[in-house]
Amino acid sequence: MSPRPFEPHRPDGPPDRQETWFGFERVSATRKTELVRGVFDSVAGKYDLMNDLMSGGIHRLWKSSMIDWLAPRPGQQFIDVGGGTGDIAFRILDRAPGAHVTVCDLTPAMLAVGRDRAIDQGRLGGLSWVSGNAESLPAPDMRFDAYTIAFCLRNVGDLEQGLRDAYRVLRPGGRFLCLEFSHVALPALAKLYDLYSFKVLPWLGSKVAGDRHSYQYLVESIRRFPAQDALAGAMTAAGFQQVKYRNLTGGIAALHSGWRI
């Protein structure tokens, strides 16, 4: 039997706000949310192209590793947060026909790209598209079998609140799986990566997407994101158990997994 379509639900009350980082700039969490929405409004149309250029296509291998570890099954309910272009959702459905994925993104422009891609690919079922904030997801408690988030967690204004809300919407036995840029474990690679990140990526953003500032922020946001062990600790503090992580390409990216038991 096909899973029930997702019906948006707004939890009562906004999350507490605090100061955080927008790249290397200290801002309120509320202000970060506004700024992040502006970044992705700007880059939505070229987002997937820029991912290919920035990573040399390696992000596709990382996402395949994510789906392998997720091991989705038909009939399961997923929420993919910050996945507006549909890349992770489509991979889940390709692996598990008959599953249902709710794509939740802060930025309507990103969701529009994903919906258009779904139509172009003839994907007419198994998907819901919802605009919402990761800190206060438009979903009822214990709704999903798995929560995925790829290259988005570092953009959440209040990381701890985002993790708590991820825990809230998962059913007992549900899984949280995050793919994110992380901290390079190899010193020689770290030096090359810094040079590439701060010199090449903003230049690519300027030439290809016409937006150097947004890609400068994306580079800075990676440097401000917690290291692997620190993120694992934050997940544990939010209630997740059996927390593990796997480094990808020397720690340029990492997968973090946790369960609601």
Side-chain angles (χ1 to χ4, degrees):
M1 184 174 67
S2 296
R4 291 186 297 114
F6 173 76
E7 297 176 0
H9 163 80
R10 299 285 172 183
D12 294 333
D16 293 335
R17 314 308 289 163
Q18 62 182 25
E19 281 202 336
T20 186
W21 294 99
F22 177 77
F24 292 159
E25 181 183 357
R26 193 75 174 166
V27 298
S28 71
T30 302
R31 178 61 176 152
K32 178 173 180 175
T33 299
E34 297 169 354
L35 292 169
V36 166
R37 184 183 289 113
V39 165
F40 287 95
D41 273 335
S42 173
V43 305
K46 296 290 181 66
Y47 182 74
D48 288 324
L49 172 60
M50 283 301 299
N51 277 347
D52 279 329
L53 292 174
M54 287 192 300
S55 72
I58 295 175
H59 75 100
R60 298 176 184 272
L61 299 178
W62 295 339
K63 290 171 180 174
S64 293
S65 295
M66 182 184 196
I67 302 303
D68 287 343
W69 205 12
L70 180 64
R73 299 190 304 275
Q76 288 186 312
Q77 290 272 359
F78 298 85
I79 183 167
D80 183 45
V81 176
T85 63
D87 205 19
I88 297 300
F90 299 165
R91 290 168 183 265
I92 290 172
L93 293 177
D94 287 343
R95 186 71 62 90
H100 190 279
V101 185
T102 296
V103 181
C104 183
D105 200 288
L106 181 68
T107 310
M110 294 285 281
L111 289 168
V113 170
R115 283 193 297 263
D116 288 347
R117 288 182 65 197
I119 292 169
D120 290 345
Q121 295 178 23
R123 298 179 184 272
L124 305 180
L127 290 163
S128 298
W129 306 88
V130 180
S131 181
N133 190 325
E135 299 165 53
S136 184
L137 292 166
D141 295 352
M142 296 185 289
R143 180 68 175 86
F144 299 101
D145 298 298
Y147 173 120
T148 57
I149 184 167
F151 304 119
C152 174
L153 192 59
R154 72 184 188 280
N155 298 314
V156 176
D158 185 336
L159 173 64
E160 289 77 15
Q161 175 57 31
L163 291 172
R164 288 192 294 268
D165 216 50
Y167 186 89
R168 177 185 67 82
V169 302
L170 283 170
R171 295 170 178 158
R175 188 180 188 186
F176 171 89
L177 190 58
C178 171
L179 170 61
E180 186 55 89
F181 289 110
S182 198
H183 290 239
V184 178
L186 305 174
L189 179 59
K191 292 180 181 180
L192 290 173
Y193 183 53
D194 276 346
L195 180 64
Y196 177 72
S197 297
F198 286 99
K199 296 296 183 181
V200 177
L201 295 189
W203 179 82
L204 279 174
S206 174
K207 297 299 182 183
V208 177
D211 187 347
R212 181 185 182 90
H213 175 75
S214 290
Y215 283 90
Q216 183 71 34
Y217 156 71
L218 292 175
V219 171
E220 293 174 3
S221 70
I222 295 168
R223 297 306 185 275
R224 280 293 177 189
F225 192 66
Q228 289 88 325
D229 287 333
L231 179 56
M235 289 169 59
T236 300
F240 290 104
Q241 298 184 40
Q242 299 180 19
V243 174
K244 299 177 181 179
Y245 68 83
R246 296 176 178 177
N247 282 331
L248 304 172
T249 316
I252 291 177
L255 283 165
H256 279 74
S257 171
W259 297 82
R260 176 171 181 169
I261 303 300

